[in-house]
Amino acid sequence: MLKVEDMSPAEMQALLQRESFGHLGCARENRPYVVPMNYAYDGKELYFFTTHGMKTRYIEANAQVCLQVEEVKDSTHWRSVMVIGRATEITNKEETERAMKFITERNPSLTPAISSTQVDSMGRAVDIAIYRITPEMIDGRQTKD
């Protein structure tokens, strides 16, 4: 029988630092919305970037979000951490630059994606939004041999 146990705070912090990909859950008008998301965690807050669209409309309507991050070796060996908190769009120029630098350092493969999101297929500028998630609760579970 599979045994599942709580993760320690140190284990949860380590997983959030190690990984850089999760699933962002939002809700608006009683409708959930979950999308895959790259993120960066500084040990205190999480950061992500996106373009203005569905996610940003959901977050504008309800800033309470959940980010689920996991490590899965197989169906009997996994870890999962849920971060529930408030997403805030970063609008200050210095904070925006610092957050983007941090995000791209943690996720170097995002650099081409960031460049391609700067303009749409018609060559028009695309609005990028950068968010900070301030955790209100972090909870984790893992399988145990």
Side-chain angles (χ1 to χ4, degrees), residues 6-31:
D6 290 335
M7 293 173 68
S8 72
E11 290 171 320
M12 291 184 285
Q13 291 288 323
L15 185 135
L16 290 172
Q17 294 274 353
R18 221 175 15 255
E19 296 298 322
S20 60
F21 182 81
H23 292 89
L24 180 71
C26 310
R28 178 179 78 168
E29 298 171 6
N30 293 318
R31 290 185 178 260

Side-chain angles (χ1 to χ4, degrees), residues 36-107:
M37 181 64 56
N38 287 284
Y39 73 92
Y41 180 57
D42 68 3
K44 183 179 169 192
E45 297 174 311
L46 300 101
Y47 300 88
F48 68 90
F49 92 96
T50 187
T51 56
H52 283 275
M54 184 76 77
K55 283 183 292 300
T56 57
R57 287 192 299 272
Y58 268 66
I59 294 169
E60 285 169 11
N62 179 2
Q64 288 297 124
V65 299
C66 177
L67 184 73
Q68 185 267 337
V69 178
E70 63 192 30
E71 284 180 333
V72 178
K73 291 182 185 169
D74 58 48
S75 62
T76 61
H77 298 90
W78 53 263
R79 295 172 179 208
S80 175
V81 172
M82 303 285 281
V83 177
I84 296 173
R86 185 165 215 72
T88 306
E89 186 173 2
I90 299 171
T91 57
N92 173 284
K93 185 175 174 21
E94 290 87 26
E95 278 188 273
T96 298
E97 289 173 0
R98 187 179 66 76
M100 280 301 278
K101 183 176 187 286
F102 183 55
I103 291 166
T104 55
E105 284 173 357
R106 287 282 300 135
N107 301 278

